Amino acid sequence: MDKRNITLLSDFILIGLTDSEDIQLVLFTLFLLMHLITVLGNVGMILIICLDSKLHTPMYFFLSHLSFLDLIYSSVITPKTLDNLLTSIKTISYLNCFTQMYFFVFLGATECFFLSSMAYDHYVAICSPLHYPVVMSIRRCCSLVFGSYLIGFTDSFVNVFCMNKLHFCDSNVIYHVFCDTSPILSLSCTDTDDIEIMIFIVAGCTIVVSLITISMCYVSILSSILKITSTSGKSKAFYTCASHLLGVTIFYGTMIFTYLKPNKSYSLGKDRVASVFYTIVIPMLNPLIYSLRNKEVKNAVSRVIQKRKVSKQLK
């Protein structure tokens, strides 16, 4: 068997979702619109949080970093997807492919622990409100953010290090929308069992540990909410957690469906559709989820606009 190291490959071919030109044009328009909403939504969220002093709290500190992640997350995948929908040449270089994979894993793993940090923030706010300013200090918040990025970097490094050991013999055609782990593993002509186990353990630990953290926080939150006697108090507590719970459900539901399963059960059609959801749709949904039903964000937008009007009048 002729084994060539992956570094000898000059490029891969991304098949994408469909070969139909009419459907590709429709998908291009839809994905471009989603990408524009993603960029505008996440940049807008970051700007509002930075410009309004009343949003300089731990919760919005984490939310600004989540918006930054979603902005980069979408920018790593969507431009190449859009390019492939318009052109007949669907190649991606080896370096660009592995760079895309590195950032995808890095940002995905980091987001898992950002969501855990946000759950911890809600837990402290509801279960220990008097100690909240002390517990969620600037130092603690920065440590949680740095730790999330560090875990994401470690997960991504392990993933790319393992994938770089693969050998390919025949095909360089990736039956996927972007350079993801499962479709590239399926191209290898060497035994991938050890690599699959390592990647599965790392990805599984990331998802499970972060999910356990979120679950423990919300069990404690639910217990505290049930002890609240006033209806308005309960409603306010539930309202505080609703957006985060929705975001967690969508993100983890898609990730578990796609990744926590053996590579042999990889389905081309289902996983390609799922990949579009968590790489294009979720980054668009997050700013909408955390802003549309959030009175503080709406009030902050109004205050920023009002300040702009006043400053223009003074000039």
Side-chain angles (χ1 to χ4, degrees):
M1 184 180 294
D2 178 28
K3 295 182 180 180
R4 295 182 296 162
N5 189 281
I6 193 169
T7 55
L8 298 179
L9 291 177
S10 60
D11 54 43
F12 292 99
I13 300 172
L14 288 168
I15 293 300
L17 287 171
T18 179
D19 294 328
S20 171
E21 292 185 2
D22 292 336
I23 297 176
Q24 284 180 354
L25 185 59
V26 173
L27 290 176
F28 173 82
T29 306
L30 181 62
F31 291 168
L32 178 60
L33 179 61
M34 288 182 175
H35 185 57
L36 291 175
I37 294 172
T38 300
V39 172
L40 291 174
N42 285 294
V43 170
M45 182 69 77
I46 294 169
L47 287 176
I48 290 297
I49 292 171
C50 290
L51 293 174
D52 191 84
S53 59
K54 290 188 177 181
L55 296 185
H56 293 175
T57 63
M59 182 177 78
Y60 290 102
F61 175 71
F62 293 127
L63 188 54
S64 65
H65 279 275
L66 182 64
S67 293
F68 172 74
L69 274 187
D70 285 334
L71 182 63
I72 305 301
Y73 199 54
S74 177
S75 300
V76 167
I77 306 296
T78 309
K80 182 59 182 175
T81 303
L82 292 173
D83 180 60
N84 284 350
L85 288 170
L86 283 184
T87 61
S88 57
I89 302 173
K90 303 179 186 296
T91 58
I92 181 170
S93 69
Y94 155 77
L95 179 61
N96 287 341
C97 184
F98 269 63
T99 301
Q100 191 181 66
M101 186 195 302
Y102 174 85
F103 278 102
F104 170 72
V105 177
F106 167 66
L107 296 168
T110 303
E111 185 160 339
C112 285
F113 286 93
F114 270 170
L115 292 173
S116 299
S117 298
M118 293 172 74
Y120 178 70
D121 175 70
H122 290 322
Y123 159 74
V124 178
I126 293 173
C127 298
S128 304
L130 297 178
H131 298 99
Y132 183 80
V134 177
V135 176
M136 298 305 296
S137 62
I138 294 175
R139 184 175 181 180
R140 175 69 60 85
C141 292
C142 291
S143 297
L144 289 171
V145 168
F146 176 77
S148 298
Y149 280 118
L150 183 62
I151 292 170
F153 170 79
T154 304
D155 282 8
S156 189
F157 177 80
V158 171
N159 184 283
V160 173
F161 177 77
C162 291
M163 295 293 288
N164 200 45
K165 294 182 177 180
L166 294 176
H167 294 78
F168 300 89
C169 303
D170 301 316
S171 178
N172 66 338
V173 178
I174 300 174
Y175 291 92
H176 206 54
V177 180
F178 66 97
C179 293
D180 200 1
T181 305
S182 296
I184 293 180
L185 279 170
S186 66
L187 294 181
S188 178
C189 59
T190 54
D191 184 24
T192 61
D193 288 344
D194 292 341
I195 294 175
E196 282 184 56
I197 291 170
M198 177 62 70
I199 292 174
F200 183 84
I201 290 172
V202 172
C205 286
T206 298
I207 294 175
V208 171
V209 170
S210 57
L211 262 181
I212 289 174
T213 303
I214 293 170
S215 299
M216 290 175 64
C217 288
Y218 275 107
V219 167
S220 299
I221 288 171
L222 181 60
S223 176
S224 295
I225 289 175
L226 292 175
K227 294 176 184 178
I228 299 174
T229 54
S230 66
T231 305
S232 61
K234 287 183 179 180
S235 299
K236 186 178 179 181
F238 276 119
Y239 184 82
T240 302
C241 302
S243 297
H244 182 254
L245 275 173
L246 180 58
V248 166
T249 302
I250 294 173
F251 180 79
Y252 280 95
T254 312
M255 294 288 281
I256 290 170
F257 169 80
T258 307
Y259 291 106
L260 288 190
K261 60 185 180 181
N263 191 48
K264 291 182 175 62
S265 64
Y266 172 70
S267 169
L268 291 176
K270 290 180 180 179
D271 284 355
R272 273 191 278 183
V273 172
S275 71
V276 169
F277 192 80
Y278 61 73
T279 56
I280 299 177
V281 179
I282 289 180
M284 178 193 69
L285 288 179
N286 276 342
L288 300 178
I289 289 171
Y290 289 105
S291 64
L292 289 181
R293 288 176 54 84
N294 192 318
K295 291 180 181 178
E296 289 182 345
V297 174
K298 291 179 181 178
N299 292 336
V301 172
S302 300
R303 286 193 296 269
V304 170
I305 294 173
Q306 190 63 34
K307 284 180 182 179
R308 293 284 295 175
K309 288 180 179 179
V310 171
S311 62
K312 285 182 179 180
Q313 289 175 357
L314 292 174
K315 290 179 181 179

